[in-house]
Amino acid sequence: MNIDVELIEKVVKKVLNDVETGSSESEYGYGIFDTMDEAIEASAKAQKEYMNHSMADRQRYVEGIREVVCTKENLEYMSKLAVEESGMGAYEYKVIKNRLAAVKSPGVEDLTTEALSGDDGLTLVEYCPFGVIGAIAPTTNPTETVICNSIAMLAGGNTVVFSPHPRSKGVSIWLIKKLNAKLEELGAPRNLIVTVKEPSIENTNIMMNHPKVRMLVATGGPGIVKAVMSTGKKAIGAGAGNPPVVVDETADIEKAAKDIVNGCSFDNNLPCIAEKEVIAVDQIADYLIFNMKNNGAYEVKDPEIIEKMVDMVTKDRKKPAVNFVGKSAQYILDKVGIKVGPEVKCIIMEAPKDHPFVQIELMMPILPIVRVPNVDEAIEFAVEVEHGNRHTAMMHSKNVDKLTKMAKEIETTIFVKNGPSYAGIGVGGMGYTTFTIAGPTGEGLTSAKSFCRKRRCVLQDGLHIRMK
């Protein structure tokens, strides 16, 4: 994709100028502050007022967020700006992901009440807010994270202070102002969702250590997850993954090939759930590769070109080169002198087990294929190459025993059987969605209840009506 730098600069400048000058354009709303301290103080004030609003109010506000995001003009604009500002992903996938976050993130219905009654009375256990939540959003999914976290956190009765990635500040500020404008229109307190006009590491550190921030939620790499977990506060960490996909000899190879290519290429492989390496039983590997190529994969066989790609898209063969993260297969191939059309969705090559493309989570549509003698060795290697992140894995097989074995041994938060990776977050699969998948801290696919405290209310010797 050609990045329109001039457009980015104009849009970001306009958004930030509106904040600076206090522009009265009502469609933008509020929630943007000069300093992190000001943002947190405003959020704390809003949360106290928010405690007096009903559950029905909360759900109205959730529906308001959904309405803002799903309005065609807004959906298309934020999806386009997110790609152009960050230089990552693809517009058509951003549209899908933003709509998904709005429609399939649970609201107050997630906050179920547990009731215990008996001879000694009645006890209720309910989900109640933490208060002010500090949330760190990545540049890989900037708007999606703001949408799903805002819905879940506000449904739980909290307010939220976002720390967006600096490379996505324009679209993040635009969206937060839009959401606040709608919430105020619906009668919500001002500043339920806030941020600063200049996101930075310094501002993130202020947020993480501020005494009025009661919970921290980090969606990003292992470094930021470790940082929030070391603060001593309640922390939810959605960290890295390196999702393997196993294909055995019993699989529907034609379907598996299509699913793998589609999953790997979804938003140019930015989602942490996306297929990052294929482990194929040797018996079917050639046929799998044949069908992947028929579904948009481009196979690179020349060892020199593969090495050139390694040097180009990794940093010291240890981590991805940031300027290639989320780029298209067409863009990457062009940089090594191979011209292809937009029909090419991903780049494949055969690789040994220790190859950098196998071991590193690239977040690019580059998909190495490792041959193994049998399914048991495939499962064993999948567990190894997932690196204990316990994030996501896929398997294509009709052997229930082997599917069960892999599910037990790999212990991932998401395990997709006979489908593309994105089925695990509700795209063509059952269940709700989120873009904060908390493997390191154990919450899994977060929802409103993940951002709440469980509180017990006990009435002794009363309201138990089953017996006299």
Side-chain angles (χ1 to χ4, degrees):
M1 171 174 288
N2 294 321
I3 307 302
D4 191 339
V5 176
E6 187 177 346
L7 173 63
I8 297 170
E9 291 176 347
K10 284 181 179 179
V11 173
V12 174
K13 184 176 180 180
K14 183 183 186 311
V15 173
L16 296 180
N17 183 65
D18 289 339
V19 179
E20 187 73 38
T21 61
S23 172
S24 61
E25 291 182 67
S26 60
E27 72 268 27
Y28 285 117
Y30 304 96
I32 316 301
F33 292 86
D34 284 323
T35 71
M36 183 58 78
D37 283 328
E38 290 174 337
I40 293 169
E41 290 296 336
S43 185
K45 179 181 178 181
Q47 208 277 323
K48 287 183 180 179
E49 184 180 344
Y50 195 35
M51 289 293 289
N52 295 318
H53 287 237
S54 67
M55 295 290 284
D57 287 337
R58 292 189 204 173
Q59 189 60 22
R60 282 195 304 111
Y61 305 151
V62 166
E63 295 301 329
I65 292 173
R66 290 178 174 144
E67 180 184 335
V68 168
V69 175
C70 291
T71 298
K72 185 175 185 291
E73 179 184 358
N74 292 340
L75 183 62
E76 293 177 350
Y77 181 79
M78 77 175 80
S79 300
K80 181 179 181 182
L81 182 56
V83 174
E84 292 181 332
E85 186 178 15
S86 69
M88 298 179 177
Y91 163 77
E92 61 271 23
Y93 294 110
K94 297 293 188 189
V95 170
I96 294 170
K97 290 161 65 179
N98 284 319
R99 183 186 290 117
L100 178 73
V103 173
K104 296 193 77 171
S105 296
V108 298
E109 71 276 8
D110 194 49
L111 307 176
T112 54
T113 298
E114 180 184 358
L116 306 170
S117 68
D119 293 344
D120 294 326
L122 173 71
T123 291
L124 298 178
V125 181
E126 296 192 311
Y127 288 97
C128 301
F130 262 88
V132 178
I133 298 177
I136 300 165
T139 191
T140 51
N141 295 298
T143 50
E144 302 93 326
T145 304
V146 168
I147 294 163
C148 70
N149 281 354
S150 293
I151 287 174
M153 292 170 185
L154 266 59
N158 307 283
T159 56
V160 54
V161 181
F162 278 107
S163 181
H165 196 284
R167 287 205 308 271
S168 305
K169 69 178 181 180
V171 71
S172 300
I173 287 172
W174 180 88
L175 176 57
I176 289 169
K177 294 184 81 177
K178 277 283 189 182
L179 297 181
N180 274 304
K182 183 63 178 181
L183 292 170
E184 290 181 34
E185 178 188 317
L186 294 172
R190 295 190 68 181
N191 301 314
L192 291 184
I193 307 167
V194 301
T195 191
V196 290
K197 68 177 184 179
E198 291 294 342
S200 64
I201 294 174
E202 180 183 4
N203 277 318
T204 299
N205 288 332
I206 292 170
M207 181 190 75
M208 290 194 298
N209 292 291
H210 199 289
K212 290 188 178 180
V213 174
R214 306 297 297 274
M215 171 189 267
L216 295 169
V217 179
T219 309
I224 193 63
V225 172
K226 183 178 179 180
V228 298
M229 291 175 66
S230 65
T231 61
K233 300 184 180 191
K234 168 65 177 177
I236 292 178
N242 192 39
V245 50
V246 167
V247 186
D248 76 7
E249 68 279 7
T250 71
D252 181 337
I253 303 302
E254 292 88 351
K255 181 179 186 301
K258 183 177 180 180
D259 287 346
I260 293 168
V261 171
N262 287 343
C264 168
S265 61
F266 190 85
D267 205 21
N268 292 341
N269 203 252
L270 281 178
C272 287
I273 63 164
E275 291 85 346
K276 300 296 192 284
E277 61 277 332
V278 178
I279 306 164
V281 172
D282 184 66
Q283 179 181 333
I284 51 84
D286 289 333
Y287 191 51
L288 178 67
I289 291 170
F290 170 80
N291 280 280
M292 291 177 74
K293 290 163 70 174
N294 284 342
N295 283 279
Y298 183 93
E299 185 180 13
V300 178
K301 293 184 176 181
D302 188 332
E304 290 187 7
I305 294 179
I306 294 172
E307 279 303 297
K308 186 176 179 180
M309 287 177 60
V310 172
D311 292 337
M312 183 178 72
V313 306
T314 70
K315 186 176 180 180
D316 301 324
R317 305 174 75 93
K318 294 180 180 178
K319 60 176 67 174
V322 174
N323 54 326
F324 282 92
V325 170
K327 292 295 193 291
S328 69
Q330 185 179 5
Y331 178 92
I332 295 169
L333 287 170
D334 181 69
K335 297 301 181 183
V336 292
I338 299 174
K339 304 292 184 182
V340 297
E343 71 280 358
V344 171
K345 297 179 179 180
C346 70
I347 305 162
I348 62 174
M349 72 286 295
E350 293 197 49
K353 291 181 178 181
D354 60 352
H355 195 274
F357 286 167
V358 177
Q359 297 295 328
I360 300 171
E361 184 190 24
L362 293 174
M363 292 187 289
M364 308 167 199
I366 296 175
L367 193 61
I369 300 170
V370 179
R371 291 177 183 255
V372 292
N374 56 66
V375 65
D376 291 311
E377 187 170 327
I379 293 171
E380 181 181 348
F381 182 61
V383 173
E384 177 186 332
V385 79
E386 206 272 330
H387 300 314
N389 293 310
R390 297 193 290 183
H391 196 292
T392 300
M394 283 65 61
M395 184 172 182
H396 293 267
S397 174
K398 293 180 181 178
N399 187 324
V400 174
D401 291 340
K402 299 305 180 182
L403 287 165
T404 303
K405 177 180 179 178
M406 181 163 171
K408 289 180 177 179
E409 294 192 5
I410 202 159
E411 296 187 276
T412 49
T413 300
I414 297 174
F415 181 49
V416 178
K417 302 180 288 293
N418 298 320
S421 54
Y422 48 72
I425 55 170
V427 183
M430 294 299 293
Y432 67 89
T433 197
T434 183
F435 288 84
T436 298
I437 301 168
T441 51
E443 290 80 7
L445 277 75
T446 56
S447 60
K449 66 178 62 172
S450 306
F451 308 115
C452 290
R453 302 164 56 219
K454 292 181 75 170
R455 297 175 61 191
R456 174 180 286 199
C457 183
V458 179
L459 175 65
Q460 186 182 23
D461 198 29
L463 286 179
H464 48 104
I465 59 176
R466 288 179 291 186
M467 297 180 65
K468 293 184 178 180

